[in-house]
């Protein structure tokens, strides 16, 4: 990549720390890789603290602790304290399982700024069948109440799929009851487990249109009060792709549990060799690494993107989506109606009308191989 | 309506801080950031829950004597910031 592009690289404003892939839940929409790697390769406390110090010095300002389930790390409080002292805005992104009132309080003392809890549905029946664990809903509900009682800003995240899309209105009521500040009604992103389960998850266009109408009507009745709702639709129904990660290597830096540095949490699937913080500095990774420079600028772009006047807007779309659907990570995102592969998206929408394979529940087993998939029927 | 004796307070959802690398003030909130321009930063850093609108106006007029009377601009910013819920006023 030429020097001109390199000097234009701004700071990695958003740092996502995936502390562990371990998780007590089994969501079929999970975007973690289906091969979860080995826990013994996970970064230790000191390595994480170093990552935060280096990234902050480069100008990173938002820090998300996620996973898997970040609460499984006993040193979470220590990491929160260190990063808050560095000036990060600290976000905990959790399933709520493993949270207690006491831990919420301890995290507050450590300086945690905000807690995001994910829900799988509007009631225990729906929630717990998707999460693959009994009592998950009750636990999440209680913890969400406690998060607000203890004075945190709270975001609720509902992953919307074919399974729960009919509950949108109940979900919005639940969010009001729990006094959420922001609510993401986000359709699953089809990476990792979610890609394997796409036919079961992807709502139909009619379901999307109906849900959007309900969301808008509900918003109109809010009169500026209550949670702010974000309805995030799958780009499968659009004719332009999303500006994935605000541009490759422009804003987001994800560190995976084993220390791999990625421009986005799903990038590991790409046939690229990603650097690791165990043996490279963050500034070297961000400014010099081949994989991070690979899709910066526009010289890598194929046609029709290369000569398209919208390339500054969407950067040719998502590299992971292009790779998953076409097998070529340089291809124009097939979501774009100008893409020669656009029919693949049309076909996916068709296939989702009648799933042929049973749904896969996420298996929390190390070194998972395809044959071990547990098939359940919802 | 905003008047000069009101005391604006920062919505606890937001945190204001100076970012050396970006050379500006930013407002941080769950998973997001607003970059403030120079004048917005100057006003926001005076919102400490004690200063009244009149104090902010006087302080900034003293600090930037060559900029002319800033009163109008400050009112305009405060009302925009109120709409965005960055600020609130105790009645
Ligand atoms: S999506 Fe579900 S299974 Fe995957 S990490 Fe999150 S809570 Fe765990
Ligand atoms: S052709 Fe490429 S750059 Fe143009 S709109 Fe489609 S994806 Fe974006």
């Amino acid at each position: 990549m030429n020097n001109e592009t390199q000097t234009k690289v701004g700071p990695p404003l958003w740092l996502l720390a995936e502390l562990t892939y371990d998780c007590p839940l089994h969501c079929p929409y999970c975007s973690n890789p289906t091969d979860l790697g080995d826990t013994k390769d996970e970064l230790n406390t000191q390595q994480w603290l170093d990552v935060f110090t280096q990234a902050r010095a480069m100008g990173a300002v938002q820090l998300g602790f996620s996973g898997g389930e970040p609460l499984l790390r006993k040193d979470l409080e220590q990491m929160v304290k260190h990063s808050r002292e560095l000036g990060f805005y600290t976000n905990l992104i959790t399933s709520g399982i493993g949270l207690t009132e006491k831990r919420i309080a301890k995290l507050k003392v450590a300086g945690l700024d905000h807690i995001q809890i994910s829900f799988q549905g509007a009631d225990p029946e729906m929630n717990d069948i998707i999460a693959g664990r009994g009592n998950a809903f009750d636990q999440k509900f209680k913890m969400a109440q406690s998060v607000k009682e203890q004075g945190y800003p709270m975001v609720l995240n509902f992953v919307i799929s074919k399974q729960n899309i009919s509950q949108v209105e109940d979900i919005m009521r639940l969010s009001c009851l729990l006094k959420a500040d922001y609510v993401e009604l986000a359709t699953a992103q089809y990476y990792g487990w979610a890609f394997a389960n796409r036919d079961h998850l992807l709502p139909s266009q009619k379901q999307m249109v109906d849900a959007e109408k309900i969301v808008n009507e509900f918003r109109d009745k809010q009169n500026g009060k209550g949670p702010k709702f974000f309805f995030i639709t799958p780009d499968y129904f659009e004719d332009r792709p999303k500006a994935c990660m605000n541009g490759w290597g422009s804003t987001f830096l994800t560190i995976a549990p084993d220390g791999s540095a990625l421009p986005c949490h799903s990038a590991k699937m790409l046939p690229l060799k990603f650097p690791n913080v165990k043996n490279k500095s963050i500034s070297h990774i961000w400014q010099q690494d081949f994989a991070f420079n690979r899709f910066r600028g526009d010289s890598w772009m194929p046609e029709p993107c290369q000569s398209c006047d919208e390339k500054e807007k969407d950067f040719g779309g998502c590299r992971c989506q292009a790779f998953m659907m076409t097998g070529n990570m340089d291809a124009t995102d097939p979501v774009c109606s100008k893409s020669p592969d656009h029919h693949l998206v049309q076909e996916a929408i068709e296939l989702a009308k009648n799933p042929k394979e049973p749904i896969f529940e996420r298996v929390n087993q190390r070194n998972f191989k395809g044959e071990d998939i547990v098939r359940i029927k919802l | 309506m905003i008047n000069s004796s009101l005391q604006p307070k920062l919505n606890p959802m937001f945190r204001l801080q100076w970012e050396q690398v970006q050379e500006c003030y930013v407002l941080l909130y769950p998973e997001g950031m607003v970059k403030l321009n120079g004048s917005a930063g100057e006003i926001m850093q005076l919102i400490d829950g004690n200063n009244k609108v009149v104090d902010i106006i006087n302080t900034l007029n003293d600090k930037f004597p060559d900029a002319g009377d800033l009163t109008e601009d400050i009112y305009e910013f405060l009302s925009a910031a109120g709409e965005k819920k960055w600020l609130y006023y105790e009645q």
Side-chain angles (χ1 to χ4, degrees), chain A residues 31-105:
Chain A
S31 61
N32 281 174
T34 44
D35 178 354
L36 297 174
D38 204 328
T39 357
K40 71 174 192 314
D41 297 330
E42 283 184 1
L43 296 186
N44 63 31
T45 311
Q46 195 50 50
Q47 287 169 319
W48 275 119
L49 299 184
D50 279 352
V51 165
F52 303 147
T53 307
Q54 290 181 53
R56 180 68 187 136
M58 291 173 67
V61 62
Q62 284 284 348
L63 171 56
F65 296 101
S66 90
E69 178 48 69
L71 290 167
L72 292 172
R73 290 283 302 226
K74 302 285 171 274
D75 48 2
L76 179 62
E77 283 79 355
Q78 201 183 338
M79 294 194 225
V80 168
K81 181 163 185 289
H82 177 77
S83 49
R84 182 64 182 79
E85 281 166 4
L86 293 170
F88 273 109
Y89 190 93
T90 50
N91 305 273
L92 173 65
I93 300 162
T94 174
S95 69
I97 309 299
L99 209 52
T100 58
E101 270 175 42
K102 238 167 114 185
R103 195 132 193 229
I104 297 172

Side-chain angles (χ1 to χ4, degrees), chain A residues 240-241 304-305 308 310-311 314 316 332 336 338:
Chain A
R240 289 290 178 271
C305 297
C308 175
E310 293 174 63
K311 64 185 175 188
D314 58 38
T332 295
C336 183
K338 298 188 189 179

Side-chain angles (χ1 to χ4, degrees), chain A residues 13 56 59 61-62 84 87-89 91 113-114 116 153 181 184 224, chain B residues 12-15 17-19 21-22 26 28-33 85:
Chain A
L13 293 174
R56 180 68 187 136
V61 62
Q62 284 284 348
R84 182 64 182 79
F88 273 109
Y89 190 93
N91 305 273
D113 289 295
H114 145 242
Q116 173 183 316
D181 297 290
E184 298 167 359
Chain B
M13 181 76 79
F14 294 93
R15 190 165 100 210
Q17 90 186 18
W18 173 257
E19 278 300 292
V21 173
Q22 302 178 62
V26 298
L28 300 171
Y29 59 97
E31 296 165 34
M33 176 181 83
K85 303 203 179 149

Side-chain angles (χ1 to χ4, degrees), chain A residues 351-368:
Chain A
L351 280 172
K353 290 180 181 161
N354 293 301
K356 295 207 171 51
E357 297 284 320
I359 196 161
F360 306 147
E361 195 174 67
R362 167 178 157 164
V363 188
N364 290 327
Q365 193 181 331
R366 294 287 159 179
N367 300 321
F368 165 84

Side-chain angles (χ1 to χ4, degrees), chain A residues 47-258:
Chain A
Q47 287 169 319
W48 275 119
L49 299 184
D50 279 352
V51 165
F52 303 147
T53 307
Q54 290 181 53
R56 180 68 187 136
M58 291 173 67
V61 62
Q62 284 284 348
L63 171 56
F65 296 101
S66 90
E69 178 48 69
L71 290 167
L72 292 172
R73 290 283 302 226
K74 302 285 171 274
D75 48 2
L76 179 62
E77 283 79 355
Q78 201 183 338
M79 294 194 225
V80 168
K81 181 163 185 289
H82 177 77
S83 49
R84 182 64 182 79
E85 281 166 4
L86 293 170
F88 273 109
Y89 190 93
T90 50
N91 305 273
L92 173 65
I93 300 162
T94 174
S95 69
I97 309 299
L99 209 52
T100 58
E101 270 175 42
K102 238 167 114 185
R103 195 132 193 229
I104 297 172
K106 270 169 70 187
L107 287 163
K108 183 109 210 180
V109 174
L112 184 65
D113 289 295
H114 145 242
I115 298 182
Q116 173 183 316
I117 301 182
S118 59
F119 275 77
Q120 285 73 31
D123 55 47
E125 292 74 42
M126 178 64 79
N127 189 87
D128 298 355
I129 196 160
I130 297 180
R133 180 182 168 120
N135 289 325
F137 182 86
D138 289 345
Q139 162 73 9
K140 287 163 189 281
F141 189 92
K142 281 196 207 107
M143 288 308 115
Q145 284 177 317
S146 177
V147 164
K148 281 315 292 179
E149 274 157 21
Q150 299 198 36
Y152 283 95
M154 179 171 76
V155 175
L156 296 183
N157 173 278
F158 293 86
V159 173
I160 303 292
S161 66
K162 199 193 274 183
Q163 293 168 287
N164 61 10
I165 193 164
S166 61
Q167 292 197 325
V168 153
E169 193 168 352
D170 295 335
I171 286 173
M172 295 177 89
R173 274 206 209 92
L174 172 68
S175 308
C176 296
L177 183 70
L178 289 171
K179 303 196 177 76
D181 297 290
Y182 299 100
V183 181
E184 298 167 359
L185 306 165
T187 45
Q189 298 196 327
Y190 303 105
Y191 307 126
W193 293 94
F195 188 65
N197 283 319
R198 187 178 62 189
D199 293 353
H200 289 274
L201 298 172
L202 183 64
S204 70
Q205 182 141 26
K206 169 148 192 339
Q207 285 175 313
M208 290 306 303
V209 171
D210 291 349
E212 189 153 24
K213 194 163 156 256
I214 293 169
V215 173
N216 288 335
E217 283 169 8
F218 197 99
R219 278 195 191 121
D220 288 345
K221 282 185 259 161
Q222 280 186 288
N223 281 323
K225 293 200 184 65
K228 194 168 163 97
F229 290 98
F230 298 92
F231 186 54
I232 305 155
T233 56
D235 59 3
Y236 278 44
F237 299 113
E238 315 283 331
D239 52 16
R240 289 290 178 271
K242 51 187 188 252
C244 191
M245 306 318 281
N246 196 30
W248 181 269
S250 83
T251 313
F252 290 89
L253 173 62
T254 296
I255 309 295
D258 68 355

